[in-house]
Amino acid sequence: MKNKTPKRIDSSKAIDKAVNIATIERTVNSTANKYGLFTIKTANEWIEEAKNRPIPKMLFSQLWYEGELCILFADTNLGKSILAVQIGNSISKGEQIKNFEIQTQKQPVLYFDFELSDKQFQNRYSKDYTDNYDFDDNFLRVEINPDLELPNNVAFDDYLILSIEKSILSSNAKVLIIDNLTYLKSDNEKAKEASPLMKKLKEFKSKYLLSILILAHTPKRDLSKPISKNDLAGSKALMNFCDSSFTIGESNQDKQIRYIKQIKQRNCEQVFDADNVCVCQISKEYNFLQFEFVSLGNEREHLKQYTEKDKDNVISQVKELSNQGKSQRVISSEMGISLGAVNKYLKL
């Protein structure tokens, strides 16, 4: 039998590990009910402390409350920015959007617009570029400075987050609207990319007592199915980090009709669920593009009803994409249908 060579121990690594453990143990030593990452108190103590904090007020009915990091998501061209500006305008003036409640006084709103140019923005909120809508000075619109050169050895993402923080401090705004997440992180579908960004925004929310609304998009989806949290790009990571979320769906009845559906909530019961969506139409009342409330309705009434001809077309497209060498996962994403459906159609 061969003698086994004793395994070498890297003494430097062992020392480093011991030093790290000692450092952690020192920081975890309890002081005033604090144990490293944790604070331990009785349930009654927590409630007594919470009694001194203000009750969160509605910013946009039960869909978004003060102190929440909320995500509004929808497919492209469904009016996310239109609704977000309308909400920001409402908060900046302290005036409710018809049929949607607001409980706060007028206050500054920082609207980070990474979508429109100033001229495109003017077009939406004017009558043929004249008779501009009169926003309150509390509504602060933010654009990227295209002429700015980044400091040496500073990543764009880091500089962007730093600039957001400086904007918060300079404006004293407690309400942020970010349009949209795709600009902040092009790979937000990937959890590892989304997590650091959302952690930073959550840190700002707690540090500066903010209410944050983030706009995000959905990948192509099956329009015959109800919208769910799984339709948000990067759904698992993003939904874990947000406090609330709602979505905009397009009605199959009329291309101008939209419906607003509540997806996640913590400060209330779910009010605007699939059986009670807010049906709206996009209209321009003279010089202000907006969502106009029509009624409450059932999401089923607005979903696409597939015919046999539609199904045959989908099967044909799936097979054509497969013949082009695309994987089932890619086909699923491009077609907005499940992997199971792709697999089933390829066998027909």
Side-chain angles (χ1 to χ4, degrees):
M1 181 183 294
K2 293 183 179 179
N3 292 328
K4 291 186 177 179
T5 304
K7 186 176 181 181
R8 283 182 170 275
I9 298 176
D10 189 328
S11 58
S12 63
K13 288 184 178 179
I15 292 171
D16 288 344
K17 184 176 181 181
V19 169
N20 288 339
I21 291 172
T23 302
I24 292 170
E25 286 178 343
R26 282 199 301 274
T27 61
V28 174
N29 286 338
S30 61
T31 55
N33 297 328
K34 296 186 184 298
Y35 300 82
L37 289 172
F38 305 115
T39 301
I40 302 177
K41 299 176 186 177
T42 68
N44 290 328
E45 287 173 329
W46 283 116
I47 291 174
E48 278 301 312
E49 286 192 9
K51 281 166 60 177
N52 297 321
R53 304 193 210 289
I55 297 172
K57 297 177 181 178
M58 294 180 189
L59 294 169
F60 184 51
S61 283
Q62 290 89 349
L63 298 162
W64 183 27
Y65 282 84
E66 280 183 322
E68 288 186 338
L69 192 158
C70 179
I71 294 179
L72 162 58
F73 67 95
D75 202 350
T76 55
N77 298 319
L78 290 190
K80 294 188 295 293
S81 299
I82 296 170
L83 182 57
V85 169
Q86 191 174 358
I87 293 170
N89 179 61
S90 164
I91 296 168
S92 71
K93 291 187 172 184
E95 298 174 356
Q96 76 168 64
I97 299 169
K98 190 175 180 180
N99 293 101
F100 293 96
E101 191 172 353
I102 181 173
Q103 297 175 329
T104 61
Q105 300 296 316
K106 62 181 294 185
Q107 60 180 302
V109 175
L110 269 180
Y111 189 97
F112 292 87
D113 193 343
F114 302 132
E115 287 288 305
L116 301 180
S117 68
D118 56 357
K119 206 64 184 173
Q120 290 169 331
F121 187 79
Q122 183 200 9
N123 184 36
R124 285 190 174 185
Y125 304 103
S126 67
K127 179 67 174 175
D128 297 324
Y129 298 102
T130 61
D131 293 333
N132 301 320
Y133 177 77
D134 187 20
F135 284 93
D136 193 283
D137 287 344
N138 275 328
F139 190 97
L140 304 170
R141 182 176 173 273
V142 186
E143 263 192 26
I144 288 282
N145 180 357
D147 300 321
L148 180 70
E149 292 186 8
L150 285 178
N152 293 331
N153 303 318
V154 176
F156 175 78
D157 293 345
D158 295 334
Y159 197 63
L160 185 65
I161 290 296
L162 177 62
S163 298
I164 289 175
E165 184 170 20
K166 286 188 174 182
S167 299
I168 295 166
L169 293 171
S170 66
S171 66
N172 290 318
K174 298 300 181 185
V175 178
L176 269 62
I177 299 177
I178 298 176
D179 184 5
N180 65 54
L181 183 62
T182 306
Y183 186 88
L184 296 184
K185 274 288 184 184
S186 57
D187 292 328
N188 65 79
E189 285 95 349
K190 301 176 183 176
K192 66 178 182 179
E193 297 292 340
S195 297
L197 170 65
M198 296 300 287
K199 282 179 181 177
K200 201 64 187 176
L201 292 174
K202 282 202 76 167
E203 178 187 314
F204 288 166
K205 186 197 78 165
S206 300
K207 185 177 180 181
Y208 301 116
L209 304 178
L210 304 176
S211 308
I212 305 176
L213 178 65
I214 302 173
L215 276 57
H217 77 281
T218 63
K220 191 170 182 179
R221 54 179 296 274
D222 186 343
L223 300 179
S224 68
K225 294 182 178 178
I227 307 175
S228 74
K229 64 182 181 180
N230 297 323
D231 290 308
L232 170 61
S235 57
K236 186 175 181 181
L238 298 180
M239 280 296 172
N240 285 342
F241 281 108
C242 73
D243 302 298
S244 58
S245 178
F246 61 100
T247 185
I248 300 171
E250 182 178 16
S251 174
N252 189 56
Q253 297 177 6
D254 186 329
K255 293 299 181 184
Q256 291 302 310
I257 296 294
R258 306 285 188 267
Y259 64 87
I260 299 170
K261 179 182 179 182
Q262 199 168 15
I263 299 296
K264 180 180 179 180
Q265 65 289 321
R266 283 181 176 163
N267 277 308
C268 65
E269 294 182 357
Q270 190 170 30
V271 176
F272 304 110
D273 58 12
D275 296 324
N276 195 47
V277 297
C278 298
V279 182
C280 303
Q281 63 183 7
I282 295 179
S283 64
K284 191 169 187 179
E285 187 177 330
Y286 191 61
N287 60 2
F288 190 80
L289 192 60
Q290 62 186 312
F291 273 60
E292 183 182 346
F293 181 85
V294 175
S295 65
L296 294 172
N298 193 301
E299 185 179 16
R300 281 196 311 271
E301 300 167 356
H302 302 278
L303 299 178
K304 182 177 176 64
Q305 305 299 316
Y306 275 115
T307 64
E308 282 302 315
K309 184 178 179 181
D310 291 328
K311 184 177 178 181
D312 290 341
N313 288 335
V314 170
I315 294 171
S316 177
Q317 290 179 54
V318 166
K319 291 183 176 181
E320 183 179 340
L321 291 173
S322 178
N323 291 335
Q324 293 173 10
K326 295 188 176 182
S327 69
Q328 291 189 17
R329 188 171 296 278
V330 170
I331 295 171
S332 169
S333 177
E334 289 190 9
M335 296 290 296
I337 58 178
S338 68
L339 274 173
V342 173
N343 183 268
K344 175 183 175 182
Y345 295 158
L346 288 175
K347 291 178 180 179
L348 295 177

